[in-house]
């Protein structure tokens, strides 16, 4: 049996002037966290769906990479991952590209093996699989 997580969204008003709050009641990490058109397409304080997808993808990829490196006999000292999610407005809003970046300190691994394991983690982390309709690139670097 798997696990299930949930989040909540509350929105009031029209798209451009309305505002909303996001929540993650199970963990409490997000609690009435503001989001709005202006925090998505402008610079108003608050989060947006693309930022949250990027956070989920960076975290999932780092965990998958850690697991795969450990399975290969090279547990990492550290992994610093970043996901950049692009929203295109051409032909209507759509996620158009995701760039995963990671800098890793992994004792005793050679570059070729590290790159192969990083690519495998990119392809197989659950968030990458869920986002497979979007092109995902990877830049992996050993520190």
């Amino acid at each position: 049996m798997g696990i299930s997580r949930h989040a909540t969204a509350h929105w009031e008003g029209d798209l451009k002037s309305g505002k909303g709050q996001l929540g993650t009641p199970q963990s409490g990490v997000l609690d009435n966290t503001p989001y709005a058109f202006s925090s998505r397409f402008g610079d108003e304080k608050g989060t947006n769906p693309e930022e949250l997808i990027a956070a989920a993808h960076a975290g999932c990829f780092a965990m998958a990479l850690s697991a795969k490196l450990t399975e290969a006999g090279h547990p990492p000292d550290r992994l610093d991952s970043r996901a950049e999610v692009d929203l295109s407005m051409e032909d209507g809003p759509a996620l158009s590209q995701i760039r995963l970046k990671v800098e890793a300190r992994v004792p005793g691994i050679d570059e070729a093996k590290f790159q192969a394991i990083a690519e495998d983690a990119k392809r197989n982390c659950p968030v990458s699989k869920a986002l497979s309709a979007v092109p995902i690139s990877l830049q992996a670097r050993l520190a």
Side-chain angles (χ1 to χ4, degrees), residues 106-126:
V106 185
I109 196 167
D110 67 60
E111 183 70 29
K113 188 170 190 175
F114 172 70
Q115 292 296 329
I117 292 171
E119 278 292 331
D120 184 46
K122 177 196 86 164
R123 272 190 313 278
N124 291 300
C125 91

Side-chain angles (χ1 to χ4, degrees), residues 42 58 67 92 96 100 109-110 115 131 141:
S96 58
L100 284 175
I109 196 167
D110 67 60
Q115 292 296 329
L131 297 171
R141 185 170 88 79

Side-chain angles (χ1 to χ4, degrees), residues 63-74 117 120-121 124-125:
M63 292 176 81
L65 182 55
S66 176
K68 289 183 178 296
L69 287 166
T70 301
E71 287 170 11
H74 298 283
I117 292 171
D120 184 46
N124 291 300
C125 91

